Amino acid sequence: METVILAAGSAKRMGGVAKLLLPYRGEALVVHAVKAALAATGRVILVTGCRAAEIEAVVALSVAQATGQVIVVRNEDFAAGQFASTQVGVRQLSPGSDFFITMADLPLIRQRHYDRLVPLLQDHDAVQPHHRGKPGHPVLHSRRLREQILSLPPDGSMRSFLAGKDVVDYEDAETAWIDDIDTLEEYLELTALD
């Protein structure tokens, strides 16, 4: 089992603030994402782009003991959109491994969230968590989707791709699946909860 974490975006709605480097409970937001994925899966592919060097440095310091388990790849064309970054990460996956795709700005996701989805995959194409009908992350994918994702044009989207697949919709009462940090207000709300 492996995880692709998307950390390449420019966070336009944050007004120039490097959101993935913002502190939460003593660590940068991106570090929470990497540690949760590492705890749940044996290998993590972190896709960077905007502010790549800063993000990579913070992650390297925080998970130095996981050398070899965290693979960092840069999407030099991150401005092309999220799906282009997804393909950069998926290209690094082992062909025989089922895999998660998730975002780096979901600091409340923990190993238990990943673990809840694994038994649901079985022979399905994917498992996507939802909270009150809103789709969230991480999304678990069958290994057979790897080559299909790579064969799509880089301006595609995972949402439209999965719309034609056999996807288990896992509904859960926890908001962690959808509590991403897109604005400074959302970040302040998150830190106010501590």
Side-chain angles (χ1 to χ4, degrees):
M1 195 80 60
E2 301 177 353
T3 302
V4 172
I5 300 177
L6 303 178
S10 57
K12 291 176 186 168
R13 287 185 278 176
M14 291 293 283
V17 174
K19 72 172 178 179
L20 296 182
L21 301 175
L22 289 171
Y24 175 63
R25 295 185 178 174
E27 294 184 304
L29 293 178
V30 66
V31 172
H32 286 276
V34 171
K35 286 187 173 181
L38 267 177
T41 62
R43 189 166 176 260
V44 172
I45 294 105
L46 179 69
V47 183
T48 62
C50 186
R51 298 192 172 218
E54 296 166 81
I55 291 170
E56 291 164 14
V58 166
V59 170
L61 283 173
S62 300
V63 294
Q65 75 282 3
T67 302
Q69 291 176 278
V70 178
I71 310 301
V72 178
V73 289
R74 285 190 186 182
N75 178 13
E76 300 295 347
D77 192 21
F78 63 88
Q82 192 175 87
F83 190 69
S85 293
T86 300
Q87 288 181 312
V88 167
V90 168
R91 196 167 287 114
Q92 301 300 316
L93 290 166
S94 305
S97 178
D98 296 329
F99 58 95
F100 288 95
I101 298 175
T102 193
M103 307 298 168
D105 64 350
L106 289 154
L108 301 180
I109 293 293
R110 298 287 180 262
Q111 177 182 354
R112 70 178 183 273
H113 296 99
Y114 287 85
D115 292 345
R116 285 182 205 165
L117 305 181
V118 172
L120 302 175
L121 184 60
Q122 300 176 21
D123 292 327
H124 302 285
D125 290 326
V127 181
Q128 180 156 37
H130 288 73
H131 173 72
R132 295 186 178 173
K134 183 177 179 183
H137 288 89
V139 180
L140 177 57
H141 302 78
S142 167
R143 64 196 75 181
R144 65 180 169 268
L145 298 187
R146 179 182 182 272
E147 293 305 317
Q148 295 177 42
I149 292 169
L150 293 176
S151 71
L152 294 172
D155 62 348
S157 80
M158 287 303 294
R159 181 170 292 178
S160 59
F161 171 69
L162 290 176
K165 301 297 177 188
D166 173 19
V167 180
V168 175
D169 292 332
Y170 171 70
E171 180 66 35
D172 191 86
E174 277 195 69
T175 62
W177 310 99
I178 61 168
D179 279 339
D180 57 336
I181 306 301
D182 286 328
T183 65
L184 196 53
E185 290 75 24
E186 288 171 345
Y187 172 70
L188 294 174
E189 286 174 18
L190 172 75
T191 55
L193 296 175
D194 283 349

